[in-house]
Amino acid sequence: MGKTITNTDFSFPGQQSVYKGKVREVYRLEDDIMVMIATDRLSAFDVVMPKGIPYKGQILNQIATKMMADTADIVPNWLLATPDPNVAVGHACEPFKVEMVIRGYLSGHAAREYKAGKRMLCGVPMPEGMKENDKFPEPIITPATKAEMGDHDEDISRADIIKRGIVTEADYSVLEKYTKALFQRGTEIAADRGLILVDTKYEFGKTKDGKIVLIDEIHTPDSSRYFYAEGYQERQDRGEAQKQLSKEFVRQWLIGNGFQGLEGQTLPEMTDAYIETVSERYIELYENITGEKFQKADISNIQERIENNVLNYLKTR
């Protein structure tokens, strides 16, 4: 198996704090600079798998930074530079404690809730008579509270977010506006690649001068679900599963092996052979989403490579 990076312990000049999320590790430095490292950790059902996936961090980081560049004209973002394939450097922000989930189609979590008989998700009504993977009349925003590692994200309504003081009404209006604009742009980018952007999530933060900006990942297979556009309607008409590009294939493998992150369930073993297939699938996702050939970075010593590249970048600032 190729080498992976699943944990970091760097000490950069001017380092003030470190935050470790499910997949990314964020180093906050003086001068309001943040160094975000995309690890090869794989998370599903809010559980981090015990083994890393080769090249996954590079893939997520490079898709996210490309998509931020492709949307910077409509929504400001935190990004300053990408000194390493697994690293993004940007402005320090205070993150909003909600994930802005937006859904164009009845898929994934929404479909599971719908199948259970629910017609309201995060305070938003879902029409009667839909079947899984049907398109909503208009995209719906279904926020989730941001969980710490090991905890579950929770659905929450716009009204509850404002009532509980998680986000002010004025700020939330901006988050909604940005979420809709990003989803529209993401839909257009996906269409150019022969894909449908089914659903995704965005995260936002506020800079020290009060500016709301896009942070974290955007339009990656971890944060988004894509369908192949060709044959979509025919598959729907026949009641067949959609061909999709997302990490839903990992979730389905886990479900098939009796695991959905519920209490008392045992995580199935991921063999090296299975992990290799997951890595290959992520590379396929990268190439389909970006329309570019994936260039594998040197993984002989990822920790050293990242440290050297970040230190060299910081010296030139």
Side-chain angles (χ1 to χ4, degrees):
M1 291 295 297
K3 293 194 172 81
T4 59
I5 183 164
T6 56
N7 190 45
T8 71
D9 187 25
F10 297 120
S11 182
F12 297 122
Q15 186 169 307
Q16 295 177 334
S17 64
V18 183
Y19 167 78
K20 301 203 173 192
K22 294 189 191 88
V23 172
R24 287 168 174 76
E25 306 198 342
V26 183
Y27 290 77
R28 186 167 184 147
L29 313 185
E30 59 192 16
D31 298 328
D32 294 303
I33 295 296
M34 293 178 93
V35 176
M36 182 184 287
I37 297 164
T39 71
D40 294 323
R41 294 196 294 263
L42 175 63
S43 164
F45 297 115
D46 296 315
V47 176
V48 176
M49 305 295 118
K51 294 180 181 177
I53 307 299
Y55 302 108
K56 179 177 175 287
Q58 177 189 349
I59 287 165
L60 294 192
N61 188 58
Q62 291 187 332
I63 292 176
T65 53
K66 177 177 171 53
M67 292 290 181
M68 283 197 176
D70 289 346
T71 57
D73 60 314
I74 56 169
V75 174
N77 63 60
W78 77 293
L79 191 64
L80 283 170
T82 52
D84 180 272
N86 286 63
V87 178
V89 178
H91 298 287
C93 301
E94 186 61 40
F96 289 100
K97 290 184 170 57
V98 292
E99 295 182 341
M100 297 298 286
V101 181
I102 182 165
R103 304 175 185 276
Y105 294 74
L106 181 66
S107 299
H109 173 62
R112 289 189 282 272
E113 293 288 282
Y114 198 89
K115 197 177 285 185
K118 296 180 183 175
R119 294 296 179 268
M120 192 77 75
L121 186 61
C122 303
V124 181
M126 297 185 287
E128 287 288 349
M130 294 185 74
K131 61 180 189 287
E132 187 170 1
N133 300 330
D134 277 354
K135 186 176 184 179
F136 286 117
E138 292 289 331
I140 63 172
I141 295 177
T142 59
T145 56
K146 183 87 177 111
E148 299 294 329
M149 192 190 291
D151 292 334
H152 288 276
D153 296 342
E154 291 182 6
D155 293 341
I156 189 169
S157 68
R158 179 191 203 274
D160 279 348
I161 287 169
I162 294 165
K163 182 181 175 184
R164 286 163 55 179
I166 299 170
V167 181
T168 67
E169 188 164 6
D171 283 349
Y172 193 84
S173 295
V174 176
L175 301 189
E176 279 186 322
K177 182 181 81 169
Y178 282 169
T179 296
K180 289 174 182 174
L182 288 166
F183 191 69
Q184 178 59 37
R185 176 65 59 82
T187 298
E188 293 163 3
I189 293 170
D192 287 343
R193 313 261 187 265
L195 301 173
I196 295 169
L197 180 58
V198 177
D199 53 45
T200 191
K201 69 180 175 78
Y202 303 113
E203 296 185 41
F204 298 92
K206 198 177 261 193
T207 62
K208 64 174 182 178
D209 55 4
K211 184 179 182 181
I212 294 175
V213 297
L214 176 67
I215 61 172
D216 203 53
E217 62 187 330
I218 163 179
H219 300 159
T220 73
D222 270 24
S223 66
S224 317
R225 193 186 323 268
Y226 292 89
F227 291 157
Y228 286 97
E230 186 178 351
Y232 162 78
Q233 195 54 56
E234 290 80 357
R235 286 187 286 275
Q236 281 302 96
D237 293 343
R238 293 194 296 262
E240 295 175 3
Q242 288 296 331
K243 285 177 65 182
Q244 58 174 290
L245 283 169
S246 72
K247 69 171 182 182
E248 182 67 17
F249 73 94
V250 175
R251 294 190 196 97
Q252 291 303 324
W253 181 84
L254 289 168
I255 290 170
N257 283 275
F259 185 82
Q260 293 187 62
L262 303 176
E263 198 172 335
Q265 293 183 337
T266 303
L267 196 62
E269 185 198 356
M270 285 189 170
T271 64
D272 286 354
Y274 179 70
I275 286 171
E276 193 62 43
T277 66
V278 175
S279 180
E280 288 165 3
R281 191 75 176 270
Y282 266 94
I283 291 170
E284 177 196 344
L285 298 176
Y286 174 93
E287 293 181 344
N288 279 277
I289 291 167
T290 65
E292 298 172 359
K293 182 80 176 159
F294 180 65
Q295 304 294 326
K296 293 181 177 179
D298 177 8
I299 59 170
S300 56
N301 193 329
I302 308 176
Q303 299 264 1
E304 187 178 286
R305 188 200 76 206
I306 288 174
E307 186 171 35
N308 288 340
N309 284 337
V310 172
L311 290 174
N312 288 334
Y313 167 76
L314 293 174
K315 282 177 194 168
T316 63
R317 285 197 75 255

